[in-house]
Amino acid sequence: MPIIMAKHAGFCSGVSRAVNQALKLAEKHKGINTLGELVHNQSVIDALAQAGVVANNLSNIVSKEVIIRSHGVSPQVIDELKSQNKVIYDLTCPFVSRLHQKVADYSENGLPVILVGDPAHPEIIGTIGWCKGQTYIVNTIEEASALPHIDTALAVAQTTFRKDLWQSVCEVLKQKVSNLSIMDTICTATIQRQSAAVELAKQADAMIVVGGKNSANTQKLYRTCKELCSRTILVERAEEISSGFADIKSDIIGITAGASTPEWSLKEVVTRMTDIEKMEQVTPEEVTSVENAVENANADFMAQVEATMVRIHPGQVIKGTVVQITEADVCVDIGYKTEGRIAREDLADQDVKLGDEIEAEVLKSKDSDGYVSLSQRNIINRKVWDELVAKYENHEVVEAVAKDVVKGGVIARINGVRAFIPASQIALRFIDNLEQFKGQTLRLHIIELDQQKKRIVASRKSVLLEEEKSKKEEAWNKLEVGKVVEGVVRRLTNFGAFVDLDGIDGLIHVTDLSWGRVKHPGDVVKPDQKVLVKILSLDEENQRIQLGLKQTSEHPWENIEEKFPVGSVVEGKVVRITAFGAFVELADGLDGLVHISQCALNRINKVEDAVHVGQDVRVKVLSVNPEDRRISLSIREVLADEALDTDLDDLAMPSAEVEVSEVEEE
Ligand code: F3S
């Protein structure tokens, strides 16, 4: 006989929480009253009564403390309890509290609410009290069809309402209400139970629904199963199952249970079914072995039940839906028998809303109130650390804000995690005053990371070195021998000038500064001066660049005949004197010779009798020989021409005077 247990059956998180809390409170206060029965299941009520949890109504509560059950109550009932000076323990299921909140918010300005559910159910009775405008209650499609036309309204469902019926009712309501807002308030436990029951009823030959006959959700489960499987029975206790209920040998028997059905009721039912089967098959002598078999079956069943439950353990990351928000904490439905609770200080997103799906880490599977203790911060912290570890391993740059200067370095925060930057790692060169970094966003490499000790050491210098290196590589890639580039003169030495080319230094040797003679580089260039230079050679391996400044201008002997045609008179400076003549510089690197015989109009014994070094002179070009790089010059011819011009001028003067006198005479 295959017995299949529905995937979701038995106590829901809301009931489980209420029962556990009630037992604890009864123990603490030596007995306690609940306002109405805690759950709709007689065996649970009996067990609770034995533990001191006794149901009463508003007019006859005996204990000073009173428990509000998971169905919730109206605000008026709370007020009444307060006026009786009762200490109230509100165990309203978070799904029901959410329903209360929704209708209260919507009807704030008097808008009507349509409650879809059983008008006699305590949850609906309590919810009516939270509506501030007109309230309509419909439990069937027919009742929805009978509603008058409504202009604007909100439709919500009893948390345990049948999902398929709710959808059908909503379709009718859309015809009845011009501006209809729909909020599906059916709880996840109900949806899970209903769909698991539907799945099972479709394949079972016979179904057993276990639960209180006055329980709304058990009744709904029963009706759902009955529609799909005609041999469905509803039982509160195992003894109610008759041996002829199903063909015990071949039928597939499905078992499901309402949210208020305790585990022990389910266990009894399975034991009963296994008993029936075994008793039909065995002789009286085999009773003992049958009992063993029953025990095994029970164990199997428990294993099945266990298998359907979410398992949790500290450190596990789970997802859940926010079902209750208070100032101190947030309750999360995690599909477990009890809800999860996140204390405010463990909540990363303080703006969380009801219905939000969030991720949290299990701290404890049971806190002092029976909740699963959760933390969202732990996950965030772990995510941050995981990201930091990845960045450390991949040598990635992280951004951090420098917060403090301490002995030996700076404290920075990387995504909220503390990191120490030693003074030696803060810059490329030693920096005495570290205060200047306070408040700055720094780009860092993590150079040491100890996740256990939560310790990080970081370096800014490492990032700067790499940035400098890549900048240099980029600059090197732009360089090409023969190319003329712009640079800035940085340093002068006796042998040349260093020029910065976008972060890399090149050298102009003193001989490459000018076509002419240069005594010191400072005679040609000055520090910080921008210069255009030609790249003469590149040695990336040794990081050497040879530059030329003179190479950016034409060679002095280039087109020499055009620049200094024979017969032309030009100016120059005497730069050197020898026994046979004086060398006159006509341009940078271009000297011509004035032979001793061409130094003066008259004959001289030595060159110094006519000129001296440094003297500016006018010379006539006598001959140009580009091949031998020789230019012959003459001072004598210039002087002779000048003398001749003077003579001619002297001769011309009188006639000019004559002309003037002639004019005067006229
Ligand atoms: Fe709450 Fe749903 Fe159970 S409303 S009490 S979790 S059936």
Side-chain angles (χ1 to χ4, degrees), residues 12-15 70 93 95-96 123 159-160 187 189-190 217 259:
C12 63
S13 59
V15 170
S70 53
C93 173
F95 286 105
V96 179
E123 180 186 320
T159 55
T160 50
C187 80
T190 301
N217 77 74

Side-chain angles (χ1 to χ4, degrees), residues 388-396:
L388 292 180
V389 170
K391 288 192 168 159
Y392 167 59
E393 285 169 354
N394 298 328
H395 193 61
E396 279 176 46

Side-chain angles (χ1 to χ4, degrees), residues 11-16 18 70-71 91-96 123 158-160 185-191 193 217 258-260 333 339:
F11 268 9
C12 63
S13 59
V15 170
S16 176
S70 53
H71 304 89
L91 299 184
T92 304
C93 173
F95 286 105
V96 179
E123 180 186 320
Q158 187 178 331
T159 55
T160 50
T185 43
I186 300 173
C187 80
T188 48
T190 301
I191 295 166
R193 260 157 203 72
N217 77 74
S260 52
D333 176 24
E339 279 151 15

Side-chain angles (χ1 to χ4, degrees), residues 477-653:
N477 290 339
K478 283 189 202 156
L479 301 179
E480 232 175 82
V481 173
K483 209 168 163 182
V484 174
V485 290
E486 191 181 69
V488 179
V489 177
R490 291 291 180 219
R491 271 178 305 129
L492 300 179
T493 65
N494 285 339
F495 55 86
F498 285 95
V499 176
D500 176 8
L501 304 172
D502 260 351
I504 42 177
D505 280 356
L507 173 69
I508 313 173
H509 193 267
V510 66
T511 55
D512 288 315
L513 278 168
S514 167
W515 291 113
R517 273 172 298 277
V518 177
K519 275 193 193 150
H520 188 271
D523 298 339
V524 184
V525 289
K526 298 277 178 275
D528 295 330
Q529 181 184 337
K530 280 188 182 172
V531 283
L532 280 174
V533 286
K534 191 170 196 170
I535 299 169
L536 304 180
S537 74
L538 292 169
D539 179 358
E540 194 168 351
E541 204 181 319
N542 297 307
Q543 299 280 295
R544 282 196 191 137
I545 302 170
Q546 201 191 341
L547 304 170
L549 181 65
K550 69 180 186 185
Q551 287 82 353
T552 56
S553 60
E554 198 178 46
H555 190 285
W557 285 93
E558 204 89 356
N559 301 321
I560 188 71
E561 283 156 311
E562 282 168 31
K563 287 189 282 190
F564 297 98
V566 172
S568 61
V569 175
V570 292
E571 287 184 354
K573 191 186 281 288
V574 177
V575 288
R576 213 156 24 104
I577 290 176
T578 63
F580 54 86
F583 286 93
V584 173
E585 185 183 65
L586 300 177
D588 280 351
L590 187 76
D591 294 349
L593 175 66
V594 185
H595 190 266
I596 189 168
S597 59
Q598 296 294 325
C599 281
L601 279 173
N602 50 334
R603 186 181 156 79
I604 53 174
N605 289 328
K606 49 185 198 304
V607 179
E608 287 87 342
D609 292 342
V611 291
H612 58 269
V613 172
Q615 182 181 341
D616 291 324
V617 288
R618 283 163 50 80
V619 289
K620 187 181 245 183
V621 179
L622 300 181
S623 69
V624 177
N625 183 346
E627 284 77 38
D628 298 334
R629 297 207 164 166
R630 279 192 187 161
I631 299 179
S632 291
L633 305 169
S634 171
I635 295 172
R636 184 169 172 261
E637 289 212 8
V638 174
L639 294 174
D641 288 348
E642 283 173 358
L644 183 62
D645 285 348
T646 309
D647 292 346
L648 286 173
D649 285 347
D650 289 346
L651 287 172
M653 278 305 283

